[in-house]
Amino acid sequence: MSEQYLLRQTVPSRPPANHTPYKELLKQLTTQQHAILIDLGRTFPTHPYFQAQLGAGQLSLYNLLKAYSLLDPEVIQFIFVVVIVGGLLPGPVLHCGVLLLHLGEEDAFYMLKFLMYDVGLRKQYRPDMIIL
């Protein structure tokens, strides 16, 4: 019964009232900075764009994850706790990497925001994993 109750709970599918532009988010500090830096080298380590330590690919990935961590701290904190404890590479980090291979940083951020909220991928990465 409790599982059925939780499945009926509404999960926000729209982004929070944070309409801060991407470039403004990049100027802010995030509490997840250390976790993001740890994870950079594990994202597509053999792909030329992401290979160079703190090269263009890793810097773009850092910026994208930093901005998203400021937009959605609940999801990003859960993701990096799983990464640090379990050593797993979670989906959103991979999503970011793929987006950056095809889009510029800012466009990749808005596409990630669309995928997570409008398409509903965010529900997979909440601490309650309600969609799973």
Side-chain angles (χ1 to χ4, degrees):
M1 292 276 276
S2 63
E3 288 179 26
Q4 290 176 351
Y5 173 77
L6 285 175
L7 289 173
R8 279 191 229 125
Q9 295 300 307
T10 57
V11 176
S13 62
R14 297 311 255 163
N18 183 353
H19 298 294
T20 308
Y22 178 71
K23 291 180 182 182
E24 291 301 314
L25 288 171
L26 292 180
K27 295 176 185 175
Q28 299 177 25
L29 297 175
T30 178
T31 59
Q32 299 302 321
Q33 180 172 325
H34 180 69
I36 293 170
L37 288 170
I38 288 172
D39 211 38
L40 290 179
R42 296 190 282 186
T43 305
F44 301 116
T46 59
H47 193 285
Y49 185 62
F50 296 107
Q51 269 183 331
Q53 187 173 6
L54 297 178
Q58 287 192 5
L59 184 59
S60 291
L61 184 60
Y62 171 79
N63 287 341
L64 184 56
L65 290 169
K66 175 185 172 185
Y68 190 77
S69 75
L70 293 164
L71 176 73
D72 194 356
E74 175 191 33
V75 165
I76 211 77
Q77 183 176 11
F78 175 68
I79 289 167
F80 286 119
V81 165
V82 171
V83 168
I84 291 169
V85 172
L88 302 172
L89 185 63
V93 178
L94 289 174
H95 301 323
C96 291
V98 171
L99 289 173
L100 286 170
L101 291 174
H102 299 281
L103 301 168
E105 263 184 52
E106 192 168 351
D107 291 336
F109 172 74
Y110 291 114
M111 180 58 76
L112 177 64
K113 190 174 164 184
F114 171 79
L115 290 171
M116 294 296 275
Y117 284 97
D118 296 327
V119 175
L121 289 180
R122 181 180 186 275
K123 296 175 189 176
Q124 292 181 5
Y125 305 109
R126 288 172 33 96
D128 59 10
M129 294 185 200
I130 195 163
I131 200 168
L132 296 177

